[in-house]
Amino acid sequence: VLEKMADISLKEAALIVGVVAACYWNSLFCGFVFDDVSAILDNKDLHPSTPLKNLFQNDFWGTPMSEERSHKSYRPLTVLTFRLNYLFSELNAVSYHFLNLVFHVVVCIIFLKVCKLFLDNRSSIVASLLFAVHPIHTEAVTGVVGRAELLSSIFFLAAFLSYTKSKGPDNTIVWTPIAVTVFLVAVATLCKEQGITVVGICCVYEVFIAQGYTLPALLDTAIQILRGKGSIPFSMLQTLLKLIVLMFSTLLLVVVRVQVIQSQLPVFTRFDNPAAVSPSPARQLTFNYLLPVNAWLLLNPSELCCDWTMGTIPLVESLLDVRNVATLTFFCFLGSLMVFSLRYPGDSSKTVLMALCLIVLPFIPASNLFFPVGFVVAERVLYVPSMGFCILVAHGWKKLSNKSVLRKISWVCLAAVLFTHALKTLHRNWDWESEYTLFMSALKVNKNNAKLWNNVGHALENEKNFERALQFFIQATQVQPDDIGAHMNVGRTYKNLNKTKEAEESYMIAKSLMPQIIPGKKYAARVAPNHLNVYINLANLIRANESRLEEADQLYRQAISMRPDFKQAYISRGELLLKMNKPLKAKEAYLRALELDRTNADLWYNLAIVYIELKDPTEALKNFNRALELNPTHKLALFNSALLMQESGDARLRPEAKQRLLHYVKEEPQDSNGYFNLGMLAMDDKKDMEAEAWMKKAIRLQPNFRSALFNLALLYSQTGKELMALPVLEDLLRYYPDHTKGLILKGDILMNQKKDIVGAKMCFEKILELDPNNVQGKHNLCVVYFEEKDLIKAEKCLVETLALAPHEEYIQRHLNIVRSKIASLSAVEQSSVPSDGTAAADAKKKSFQNLKEAKREKTTTQSTVDNKEHSKNKKPIEKSSMDKETTKKSTKEIKDIEKKRVAALKRLEEIERILNGE
């Protein structure tokens, strides 16, 4: 390309760069809008983690070409440039817009070179400047997805320039430029499909420009040959050979392209292109009328619109429609130009012919004349055809300016056109600043397009302005009452506004507009995949009602029956089946979805959740790992797999669990659950200081974090910092006054560390208010009665406790001890009552000392009842209140019990948190 641009001066290039910069500088301040969202923001093919081969297996939007919902637009090289943008700046829109601007400059400069083949220098610059500033190009240049046009145009023009070098001295064939041309055509086609049309332009150039034939001359030659009065000239044979090579190469490209789309045309609805599904003659009349509409946009780009689908251009349904006059005028004008260019020799006719080729041939794929496309009119597809238009205008301007009478006025008109076009382009760029500005600007031009009303609604919906969004969605249903998508939007917005009844009504309307299944007949209608979401949305809405779960399941199955490859239906049904406690059926649904898409990390994650429900943690962990292989930053898979490793109790898995949780908190720094579970891991590893730091961080983020507060208090308790645990327990009980284990721990610390019998008694009484049958609370209250020296009350309390837990031996033993103390105390009082009372007082003191030891025995083992839920073989070790030797011997055992108690409490609380979904 650079070699071919050698004769373009630096001043000319600088002029073009300056003009383009002046027109498009403000495009750098625009964001990702309209189709950019699907092609850039939602396209996983841009991410470095996605294998490069996916770019050649998926369409422009990241959808596998094999799927019916694919638009079949195969542009891997364009997506590759998006990926390079992402590599350098991720989703910073400035870099994407800047690269588009650069590509537009390159196209303008190469176009200048092409113009110089058919125009003089001055006219070439005029054509190039008009192309640079034409407002019709804003969609291709300022819209990021328009890069497909820009890249394809670069290689399109380069291929043509290369072909012009294929004629050697004495009309010989130079094969290298032809080979380069074929290669560049393939590259152009991989940027956008219309790139292949340059082959037609090369053929016309070869016959009518390079060889200098006119149509009458060709006809004369053909007639002579057919009559047997002459042979085919050698030069014509060489021309035929070149054309055969070109056409064969093109045929190969077409075959490959058909293989890529797997012989399927994309599915478009009647809303995208109403004429495509209309009967004759409306179909033909409308498609032909669209040609002068496109021509008028080139001539008068004053009212531009980003979306010309649906009701923008009403169907031409009758031959008497006045718009047919425009069609007739257009074809008459086009026909006269073609006759002039093909019939007469001379430079002027050659220029007009090449201009017509550039207008007509690249437009054919978008013309609807051979196969339907997903739009009525699209300004971006006029990017290449506008080159031919600019050459025509420049050629006409040259004719006028050569006449002395019209010279001045021609220059004034040219300056006015360039200036007004540049201003319009600059102003139009601001429309692409955001989705709201873009679609509001479109509504000023066209109020009959329901899609525009919907899109303004979407823009407002993204800003959480649901009330205003609803107004636009309702307007869309009024403009196009049979628009399924509009009714779905209304339903979704009502749902966001918590108006369930209205949402269901809207979804039901949308469902009623769907093609109905005829019993006994195979469902053959091709439905737009996004319209099938009405079943998903309606089912998701009604399954919030527990009594309508079966009805929701029926809707999912109906969607699947209409499209057996509807992946989202399987996913949503799997979630519902889990809710219905049918994990085996949920597993079947997810496995079916995985048959359709094995690269979906969310599916592997959901399957892992099913295996957890099926109590198969090994398989669950395998599926979590598969999800993370596909998406290493899958937050839920990171968190839940770490939790599963932690719950396994396998110390070998803890380092990996910790790494995953650290990765998770890096991705979600504001989620307190990540820090809490890091704290639990540290507690398991006996890293008390680290555990304390993580727990505190979790509590800072969520001051009322129930499990973090309790486990931090427990951590303090087991590390001899009981007094530090008290304020944490106060916070816990302020948020959760009925936290039984918190009350037990607080009562234990108050009685054993603070010697606050009254406070401890209040804790245990509170427990019994909440749960009169709580054995731990009841027993510990009995111990308080010991401390208060009320043996009768203590005895009665222990009898009641034993009735609650008749198999607990330690309660029976403690009751026996109390009764023996009561009997002993009574005997002392009856047998010896000294005048000073000393003996009786000593006996009483001794008795209560023994009782206190019995009390301590239970407070140190207060958690054993709790622990029995999870460790049934664990038995309380009794500490004798009679034998001093046994007391000394059992000190280590008591410490072991204390360690087991806190460990069991911690594990119990952690399990409770998981089950409660905290």
Side-chain angles (χ1 to χ4, degrees), residues 157-328:
L157 295 175
F160 176 69
L161 285 173
S162 176
Y163 187 80
T164 61
K165 304 292 183 184
S166 65
K167 183 180 177 182
D170 300 324
N171 208 22
T172 55
I173 301 174
V174 184
W175 289 106
T176 303
I178 294 175
V180 172
T181 297
V182 171
F183 172 75
L184 291 173
V185 169
V187 174
T189 307
L190 291 175
C191 294
K192 191 175 181 185
E193 297 78 0
Q194 70 182 26
I196 202 167
T197 60
V198 72
V199 173
I201 294 171
C202 291
C203 291
V204 173
Y205 173 84
E206 176 65 33
V207 175
F208 296 102
I209 311 299
Q211 301 302 328
Y213 292 116
T214 61
L215 192 59
L218 282 175
L219 290 173
D220 286 343
T221 306
I223 290 168
Q224 292 296 324
I225 294 168
L226 289 172
R227 287 178 176 175
K229 294 181 179 179
S231 59
I232 300 174
F234 179 71
S235 61
M236 190 173 284
L237 286 172
Q238 284 188 310
T239 300
L240 280 172
L241 181 60
K242 289 169 76 173
L243 296 183
I244 288 168
V245 170
L246 270 182
M247 298 308 293
F248 181 73
S249 304
T250 307
L251 187 63
L252 277 178
L253 284 174
V254 170
V255 169
V256 170
R257 184 69 176 84
V258 170
Q259 287 296 315
V260 165
I261 67 170
Q262 301 187 2
S263 303
Q264 287 182 333
L265 287 174
V267 180
F268 296 117
T269 69
R270 59 193 171 87
F271 304 113
D272 295 322
N273 191 347
V277 294
S278 299
S280 298
R283 187 172 187 268
Q284 290 77 18
L285 290 175
T286 304
F287 283 155
N288 281 293
Y289 171 67
L290 294 179
L291 300 176
V293 169
N294 281 281
W296 182 249
L297 285 174
L298 289 172
L299 278 168
N300 179 29
S302 59
E303 292 189 336
L304 299 177
C305 181
C306 62
D307 193 305
W308 294 81
T309 55
M310 304 189 89
T312 305
I313 299 174
L315 296 174
V316 182
E317 298 180 290
S318 167
L319 289 169
L320 300 177
D321 193 311
V322 70
R323 289 175 292 174
N324 289 319
V325 175
T327 306
L328 192 61

Side-chain angles (χ1 to χ4, degrees), residues 549-550 553-554 556-557 560 569-595 603 606-607 609-611 613-614:
L549 297 181
E550 287 293 344
D553 189 34
Q554 176 63 32
Y556 290 135
R557 283 184 279 135
I560 290 167
Y570 291 107
I571 296 171
S572 297
R573 184 167 185 248
E575 293 168 0
L576 177 68
L577 290 167
L578 272 179
K579 188 176 181 179
M580 295 169 74
N581 198 26
K582 297 179 180 178
L584 286 173
K585 285 190 174 182
K587 178 183 169 184
E588 287 176 17
Y590 287 132
L591 288 173
R592 180 72 184 92
L594 279 167
E595 288 175 18
L603 278 174
N606 289 351
L607 189 58
I609 298 299
V610 171
Y611 278 115
E613 290 293 320
L614 291 169

Side-chain angles (χ1 to χ4, degrees), residues 747 750-751 756-768 777 780-781 784-785 788 790 793:
L750 288 173
M751 187 147 52
D756 182 356
I757 305 301
V758 176
K761 185 177 182 180
M762 288 173 65
C763 289
F764 301 138
E765 285 176 342
K766 175 71 175 174
I767 292 168
L768 294 178
N780 287 1
L781 187 60
V784 170
Y785 295 150
E788 292 178 340
D790 191 340
K793 204 168 184 179

Side-chain angles (χ1 to χ4, degrees), residues 22 51 258 397 399 428 508 557 627 761 779:
V258 170
W397 174 83
K399 295 286 187 185
R428 175 67 172 151
M508 290 303 291
R557 283 184 279 135
K761 185 177 182 180
H779 182 274

Side-chain angles (χ1 to χ4, degrees), residues 321-364:
D321 193 311
V322 70
R323 289 175 292 174
N324 289 319
V325 175
T327 306
L328 192 61
T329 304
F330 171 78
F331 277 110
C332 287
F333 181 71
L334 187 68
S336 62
L337 286 177
M338 288 183 71
V339 168
F340 169 76
S341 61
L342 291 171
R343 185 171 183 179
Y344 302 106
D347 292 340
S348 183
S349 59
K350 290 179 180 179
T351 302
V352 172
L353 179 62
M354 292 312 299
L356 288 175
C357 286
L358 281 168
I359 292 172
V360 174
L361 295 178
F363 186 74
I364 285 174

